[in-house]
Amino acid sequence: MSARPVLLVASSGGHLTQLCSLRPWWRGKERVWVTFRTPDAESVLGDESVRWAHHPTTRNVGNLLRNTGLALRTMREQRPSVVVSTGAGVALPFFVLAWLLRIPTVYIEVYDRIDTPTLTARLCKPFTRLFLAQWEEQRSFMPTAITVGPLL
């Protein structure tokens, strides 16, 4: 039986770039990505196992439902060992389902949000086992977070 994969979930663009910067950690692990099908994501993840999510996610109930279905299928097929995300909205259905299935979740607050938490961080908080901050200042709104330093 092979190892259960790490599930890396992020919007394309900067969120995806921050997860890609964790390459020294995920490089030797089985992994599956969830992101939006955009030219940058296709270029960066060309040789990776990817599940393409639906966007936009902000105020789009239809895509929330589609991404919830994607989360159900992905979790059932992959049975990940952990779900890791830097946001944004696409993370929520994956974190809720992981929490229900007792799969550990790690949320990394984004690089450019120092004064207030992102909406996704606030929504995912009840379903997150471990919060990581990139700046010590982020601990003012995430006091239980571990500061790991900037990913970029």
Side-chain angles (χ1 to χ4, degrees):
M1 177 182 213
S2 64
R4 293 171 34 202
V6 171
L7 187 60
L8 301 157
V9 180
S11 299
S12 55
H15 294 276
L16 179 60
T17 299
Q18 290 175 68
L19 274 187
C20 287
S21 75
L22 296 174
R23 182 183 177 102
W25 172 74
W26 55 254
R27 175 180 27 222
K29 296 174 176 32
E30 285 288 321
R31 60 197 171 273
V32 176
W33 297 81
V34 176
T35 192
F36 305 140
R37 186 186 291 266
T38 59
D40 68 306
E42 287 181 322
S43 173
V44 169
L45 301 175
D47 295 331
E48 296 287 324
S49 175
V50 182
R51 304 298 181 269
W52 300 113
H54 303 275
H55 66 92
T57 55
T58 306
R59 296 181 192 91
N60 190 313
V61 174
N63 283 342
L64 173 63
L65 294 174
R66 286 179 196 88
N67 287 330
T68 300
L70 176 63
L72 285 165
R73 286 188 307 278
T74 302
M75 295 292 200
R76 185 177 54 242
E77 293 167 6
Q78 300 299 319
R79 290 303 214 184
S81 59
V82 63
V83 178
V84 180
S85 183
T86 52
V90 68
L92 183 60
F94 288 87
F95 271 52
V96 171
L97 189 55
W99 181 78
L100 290 171
L101 296 172
R102 295 191 167 114
I103 297 169
T105 52
V106 179
Y107 190 87
I108 306 166
E109 185 61 295
V110 292
Y111 179 85
D112 58 343
R113 217 39 198 276
I114 297 174
D115 298 331
T116 59
T118 58
L119 175 59
T120 306
R122 292 193 314 261
L123 292 172
C124 288
K125 184 178 182 177
F127 312 104
T128 301
R129 182 178 289 178
L130 176 63
F131 269 102
L132 300 178
Q134 296 189 51
W135 302 104
E136 189 61 30
E137 292 85 351
Q138 292 173 321
R139 295 190 67 237
S140 68
F141 55 82
M142 296 182 345
T144 61
I146 297 170
T147 303
V148 294
L151 299 182
L152 299 177

